[in-house]
């Protein structure tokens, strides 16, 4: 049932077009609805054909011809949207613009009507093939072959699963990267009352539940960090995905040498996945370039030639037409790719991934990417973004690397970046206005920034306006980069905030300051709290991960009160140089599973109640005195896994 994936992806694009393009005519809406009905009717024919295509050449040809029609529809829709975008930026105004738009609408309606007629013809043609081969139309359950998708796998999950087949063998896939790719490719169906970001989390959870995706590593809060597809499943579905034209893998990594790739694609290439130098890719052939929707590279060799070739290839994608259909440009881990200034002509681009590329700059034309949803320049040498960034009205996720945003243009725009959900790696200094500037970004769910102490009060007031905020990372430093004082208001009203990281000196955790009620993960660093924070933190009923890092507490004794920390699973104590005694009262930390103590040279002993707890599983000691290590070894239960390490600094 892999062929249904193509139909599902194309239908989703058609639906998204009707939602996003607000001035679509009634005629086009009716025509699109007619197509959806036809494609739904076609599903039973596709399922029957897939069960027979390996045995009958006529059925195999019929399947390929039909998939070609589906891909034609995708091209018509994408080109229509692209042309509308180009007209909005052109010099056409008034009557001429209206006339051009009407012509394009009539053309797409005509093309959709023609495809609807072809679908009817192909249903009849398949029935004739069945009769000629004296084969009954199988309307009952289809027996699943080894190389097929499970019949009960929901249609919206099928493209997501097949997509994982493009990743190299034995490569850990960052969940963050996978989510953004699924979203950019248009695989996520819109659902009332749920954001796309929430939906992709549900998609992954369901595929993990079905054991079609394996979580390979976890974050400390228990959420998935990296994943893989089981190798047997990956081997089969990767070939199937290439066969139906979902992607084309260029070259092979050494670890993939045992897997035979589809060398000659039967459909115009839509997604090229680079496992070897792109210079060997047939970029002069329209069959391999003209219809590209995605270019994803896993070639992480540090070669200057590779960086140059990537820029040339992107220019070829844009080509003489002056535009391209590319939605995804993912170069994560590729060393310093040289992007052309024509990048702004990729009007369809949804995802630009440059993480870990160590690139120095972005083309100024990046601001012309009207549909861009994710821009990731984390772990690069990029220090400024073009002021045109504020033109990206659909931008949802912005990952930076301590970059200060140019607010001079933004301050005069009425609705800047209203869709922005993630703003991570922002630098706020004296030149960055918060009032009438950053505080107009009110829909953030994830915020990570570094600021100077002079700005913390304004930033605190801005944070209070972020009622949907879920994750906050706030570092406060002075002008020479040293941690300085944080001045934060009570965060008690931020009902959705679950992850907080604070670096900088905090005042006393007194009655006036409250943490968010749903807080699950808390990290404090260089807080220099003089009073024991444990009585206050013990009241956080949902806290599951607590990290007290370097100089977060400067006192000599910590007391965990009776019954406190009921949900705590992970505790990390790092470089609390003055800490000598740590007491845990009865019933406190009863669900703690993992404890790491690092460079707490004055600490005399770990609490017996922790080491002997029935739920405690793992103890990691780094650069701790030998006497402390020996005491833990003597007290711990036999089932506890204990590691002891010495690091050189």
């Amino acid at each position: 049932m892999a062929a249904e994936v193509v139909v599902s992806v194309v239908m989703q694009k058609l639906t998204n077009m009707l939602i996003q393009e607000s001035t679509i005519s009634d005629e086009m809406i009716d025509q699109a609805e007619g197509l959806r009905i036809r494609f739904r009717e076609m599903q039973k024919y596709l399922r029957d054909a897939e069960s027979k295509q390996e045995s009958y050449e006529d059925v195999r040809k019929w399947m390929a011809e039909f998939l070609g029609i589906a891909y034609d529809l995708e091209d018509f829709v994408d080109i229509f949207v692209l042309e509308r975008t180009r007209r909005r930026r052109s010099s056409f105004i008034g009557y001429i613009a209206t006339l051009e738009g009407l012509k394009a609408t009539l053309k797409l309606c005509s093309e959709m009507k023609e495809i609807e007629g072809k679908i009817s013809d192909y249903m009849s043609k398949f029935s004739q093939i069945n009769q000629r081969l004296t084969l009954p139309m199988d309307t009952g359950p289809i027996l699943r072959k080894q190389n097929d998708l499970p019949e009960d796998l929901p249609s919206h999950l099928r493209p997501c699963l097949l997509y994982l087949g493009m990743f190299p063998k034995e490569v850990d896939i960052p969940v963050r990267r996978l989510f953004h790719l699924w979203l950019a490719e248009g695989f996520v169906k819109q659902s009332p009352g749920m954001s796309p970001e929430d939906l992709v989390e549900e998609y992954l959870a369901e595929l993990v539940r079905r054991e079609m995706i394996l979580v390979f590593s976890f974050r400390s809060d228990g959420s998935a960090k990296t994943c893989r597809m089981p190798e047997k499943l990956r081997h089969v579905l990767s070939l199937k995905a290439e066969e139906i034209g979902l992607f084309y893998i260029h070259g092979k990594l050494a670890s993939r040498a045992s897997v035979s790739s589809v060398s000659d694609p039967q459909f115009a290439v839509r997604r090229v996945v680079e496992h070897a130098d792109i210079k060997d890719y047939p970029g002069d052939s329209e069959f391999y370039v003209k219809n590209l929707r995605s270019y994803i590279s896993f070639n992480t060799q540090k070669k200057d030639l590779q960086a140059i070739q990537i820029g040339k290839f992107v220019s070829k994608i844009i080509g003489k037409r002056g535009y391209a259909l590319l939605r995804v440009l993912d170069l994560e881990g590729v060393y310093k790719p040289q992007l052309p200034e024509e990048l702004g002509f990729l009007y369809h681009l949804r995802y630009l991934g440059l993480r870990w590329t160590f690139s120095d700059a972005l083309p100024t034309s990046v601001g012309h990417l009207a549909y861009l949803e994710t821009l990731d320049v984390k772990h690069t040498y990029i220090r400024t973004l073009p002021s045109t960034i504020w033109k990206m009205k659909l931008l949802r996720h912005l990952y930076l690397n301590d970059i200060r945003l140019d607010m001079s243009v933004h301050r005069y725009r009425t609705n800047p970046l209203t869709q922005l959900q993630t703003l991570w790696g922002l630098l706020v200094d004296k030149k960055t206005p918060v009032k009438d500037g950053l505080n107009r970004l009110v829909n953030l769910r994830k915020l990570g920034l570094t600021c100077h102490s002079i700005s913390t009060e304004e930033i605190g007031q801005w944070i209070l306006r972020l009622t949907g905020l879920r994750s906050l990372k706030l570092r406060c430093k002075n002008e020479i980069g040293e941690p300085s004082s944080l001045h934060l208001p009570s965060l008690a009203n931020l009902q959705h905030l679950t992850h907080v990281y604070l670096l900088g000196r905090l005042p006393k955790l007194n009655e006036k300051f409250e943490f968010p009620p749903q807080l699950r993960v808390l990290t404090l660093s260089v807080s220099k709290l003089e009073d024991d924070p444990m009585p206050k933190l013990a009241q956080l009923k949902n806290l599951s991960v607590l990290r007290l890092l370097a100089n977060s507490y400067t006192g000599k004794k910590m007391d965990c009160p009776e019954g406190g920390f009921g949900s705590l699973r992970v505790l990390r104590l790092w470089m609390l140089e003055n800490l000598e005694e740590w007491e845990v009262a009865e019933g406190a930390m009863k669900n703690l599973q993992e404890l790491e103590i690092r460079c707490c040279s004055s600490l005399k002993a770990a609490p017996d109640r922790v080491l002997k707890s029935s739920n405690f599983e793992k103890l990691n000691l780094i650069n701790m005195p030998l006497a402390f290590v020996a005491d833990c070894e003597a007290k711990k239960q036999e089932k506890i896994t204990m590691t002891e390490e010495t690091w050189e600094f």
Side-chain angles (χ1 to χ4, degrees), residues 35-263:
L35 264 178
R36 278 204 290 257
I37 292 171
R38 281 298 185 194
F39 272 113
R40 280 197 295 268
E41 292 173 351
M42 195 68 183
Q43 285 183 329
K44 64 181 180 180
Y45 291 87
L46 285 174
R47 292 172 185 171
D48 189 32
E50 283 209 84
S51 69
K52 298 170 181 175
Q53 66 170 333
E54 292 185 6
S55 302
Y56 300 98
E57 181 65 22
D58 285 354
V59 176
R60 187 158 51 250
K61 287 182 178 179
W62 177 91
M63 175 76 77
E65 289 174 2
F66 174 74
L67 289 179
I69 291 174
Y71 282 133
D72 285 344
L73 176 59
E74 181 184 35
D75 291 340
F76 295 152
V77 169
D78 283 347
I79 290 173
F80 172 78
V81 174
L82 186 144
E83 290 294 345
R84 283 172 68 91
T85 304
R86 294 181 73 201
R87 280 196 302 277
R88 291 187 188 116
R89 296 182 182 179
S90 72
S91 57
F92 291 145
I93 58 174
Y95 173 76
I96 297 177
T98 302
L99 184 60
E100 291 294 323
L102 180 60
K103 287 180 180 178
T105 299
L106 291 174
K107 181 181 178 183
L108 181 58
C109 286
S110 174
E111 290 165 338
M112 289 195 292
K113 188 173 183 178
E114 182 180 348
I115 286 177
E116 185 178 356
K118 286 183 178 180
I119 293 173
S120 297
D121 292 342
Y122 270 85
M123 286 191 287
S124 299
K125 186 176 180 180
F126 185 70
S127 297
Q128 293 170 8
I129 292 173
N130 269 339
Q131 290 175 4
R132 188 169 67 252
L133 298 174
T134 65
L135 294 170
M137 178 73 177
D138 191 348
T139 57
I142 304 296
L143 294 176
R144 184 165 69 91
K145 303 184 296 298
Q146 184 182 8
N147 66 341
D148 206 354
L149 293 168
E151 187 178 355
D152 65 339
L153 186 65
S155 61
H156 61 274
L157 295 180
R158 293 177 183 179
C160 297
L161 181 63
L162 281 176
Y163 197 73
L164 268 77
M166 73 177 185
F167 286 88
K169 180 181 178 181
E170 298 178 356
V171 166
D172 296 343
I173 306 168
V175 168
R176 172 261 318 156
R177 185 181 187 182
L178 185 63
F179 281 174
H180 289 313
L181 286 171
W182 281 350
L183 289 166
E185 293 284 6
F187 294 161
V188 180
K189 291 187 176 181
Q190 299 193 24
S191 179
M194 291 193 71
S195 72
E197 290 77 13
D198 290 334
L199 284 171
V200 288
E201 290 184 11
E202 287 196 357
Y203 285 14
L204 178 67
E206 177 60 19
L207 290 170
V208 170
R209 187 189 68 80
R210 290 171 175 265
E211 298 182 348
M212 294 176 174
I213 292 180
L214 305 176
V215 178
F216 202 75
S217 64
F218 294 87
R219 296 186 177 91
S220 57
D221 64 352
S223 61
K225 184 177 182 180
T226 62
C227 64
R228 291 183 185 179
M229 187 187 289
E231 180 51 32
K232 288 184 179 179
L233 186 63
R234 194 199 70 85
H235 173 86
V236 170
L237 294 188
S238 177
L239 294 175
K240 193 69 178 178
E242 287 191 80
E243 181 183 313
I244 64 172
L246 189 66
F247 53 72
Y248 172 73
I249 295 178
H250 170 61
K252 301 175 184 177
L253 295 180
S255 61
R256 197 180 182 272
S258 61
V259 179
S260 59
S261 179
V262 177
S263 55

Side-chain angles (χ1 to χ4, degrees), residues 1 18 21 26 40 65 102 125 178 208 241 259 333 369 393 400 429 455 541 551 589 641:
M1 284 176 279
L18 296 177
E21 301 296 321
D26 291 341
R40 280 197 295 268
E65 289 174 2
L102 180 60
K125 186 176 180 180
L178 185 63
V208 170
V259 179
L369 302 173
K393 295 181 179 179
L400 308 173
D429 58 15
S455 305
K541 296 181 180 180
N551 292 317
M589 296 190 175
T641 301

Side-chain angles (χ1 to χ4, degrees), residues 297 299-312 331-340 353-361 379-382:
S297 178
N299 189 354
T300 57
Q301 303 176 59
K302 291 187 176 181
K303 294 181 178 180
D304 291 338
L305 182 61
Q306 163 73 358
I308 296 170
Q309 291 297 333
I310 285 175
K312 290 182 178 180
L331 304 176
E332 183 166 329
V334 176
Y335 185 68
K336 290 194 173 183
Q338 296 183 13
L339 297 178
L354 300 174
R355 182 178 292 225
W356 288 113
T357 61
F358 303 104
S359 295
D360 299 307
H379 301 303
T380 66
Y381 294 128
I382 296 171

